[in-house]
Amino acid sequence: MDKILVVEDEPALVDTLEYALSRQGYSVVIARDGLSALDMARVQKPDLILLDVMLPGLDGFEICRVLRQEMNVPILILTARDDEVDKIVGLEVGADDYLTKPFSMRELLARVKAHLRRVRLIREEMGVEDEVMVPAVPSGGRRLVFDSLVIDPDRREVSLNDDVMHLKPKEYELLLFLAQNRRIVLGRDLILERVWGWDYSGGSRTVDVHIRWLREKIESDPADPKRIVTVRGIGYRFEG
Ligand code: CA
């Protein structure tokens, strides 16, 4: 049974959500303020989080930012504010989706179902159990060194044989994501979602094209790649 954490301080909406989600067969846990939301997420390990923005204590964006560093659970932000800025902030802090209040329960349930299904497919594709997390692309972090290839997330810089390379932003993000998940088989759809974002409308060919460009830059023989290998029928694996 999938467990959903509802983070919401408006009692009527909490009741409505709890009722609707339970009827669909989900197990529902509730947090009514920012700090208990963090605790509940860590202790309960929900399969999905519905997150209000305006909350006592930490706001929803802050919660999202913190949780995103710790777990790969789908996070749907619920907010009464519907300007574009909020949407962008929501996605920047790592939310997977965004619903503006008032939303229809049918719409909410459809999105919940879709995200849970997506996560299940990713897990199946990767052949991993529930507790494995695939981190989102973080903005900084420690240097990653693969002999002559060095990735420095703090400076957003990649060097090969001590020469700083010129990578396009997506090439860099793709390389970083692959490198951070070294030796893990990553499906095209997962890569697309993590590097290009859930709302990117292009197809997974985009991934192949960028992989080709990256190989031309970082492989000694792009026709016989050793660092980024193709996993037939699935996607790619970064070897180092
Ligand atoms: Ca609220």
Side-chain angles (χ1 to χ4, degrees), residues 8-9 52 54:
E8 174 61 67
D9 61 332
D52 182 27
M54 300 299 281

Side-chain angles (χ1 to χ4, degrees), residues 90-122:
L91 297 174
E92 275 179 353
V93 296
D96 295 274
D97 206 347
Y98 191 92
L99 270 175
T100 305
K101 296 175 185 175
F103 46 82
S104 84
M105 198 51 71
R106 181 194 291 262
E107 171 77 15
L108 177 109
L109 292 171
R111 301 244 194 131
V112 164
K113 196 172 162 190
H115 283 285
L116 289 170
R117 181 171 173 277
R118 173 178 61 80
V119 170
R120 202 150 36 234
L121 288 176
I122 289 169

Side-chain angles (χ1 to χ4, degrees), residues 168-238:
K168 294 175 187 154
K170 284 299 173 208
E171 289 175 348
Y172 168 80
E173 286 167 30
L174 173 61
L175 178 61
L176 180 61
F177 180 64
L178 291 171
Q180 283 170 330
N181 294 284
R182 187 183 189 189
R183 304 222 168 95
I184 296 176
V185 178
L186 300 167
R188 288 183 177 77
D189 289 341
L190 175 66
I191 295 172
L192 197 65
E193 187 196 302
R194 288 298 170 184
V195 178
W196 277 266
W198 64 275
D199 56 349
Y200 178 73
S201 55
S204 58
R205 280 286 135 203
T206 303
V207 176
D208 300 328
V209 170
H210 281 76
I211 292 278
R212 200 174 68 226
W213 290 340
L214 264 183
R215 279 173 171 162
E216 281 162 11
K217 294 179 178 172
I218 66 167
E219 298 279 0
S220 0
D221 177 5
D224 181 25
K226 297 282 189 266
R227 293 188 188 273
I228 304 173
V229 302
T230 302
V231 181
R232 201 170 294 279
I234 300 178
Y236 300 96
R237 188 179 65 231
F238 185 77

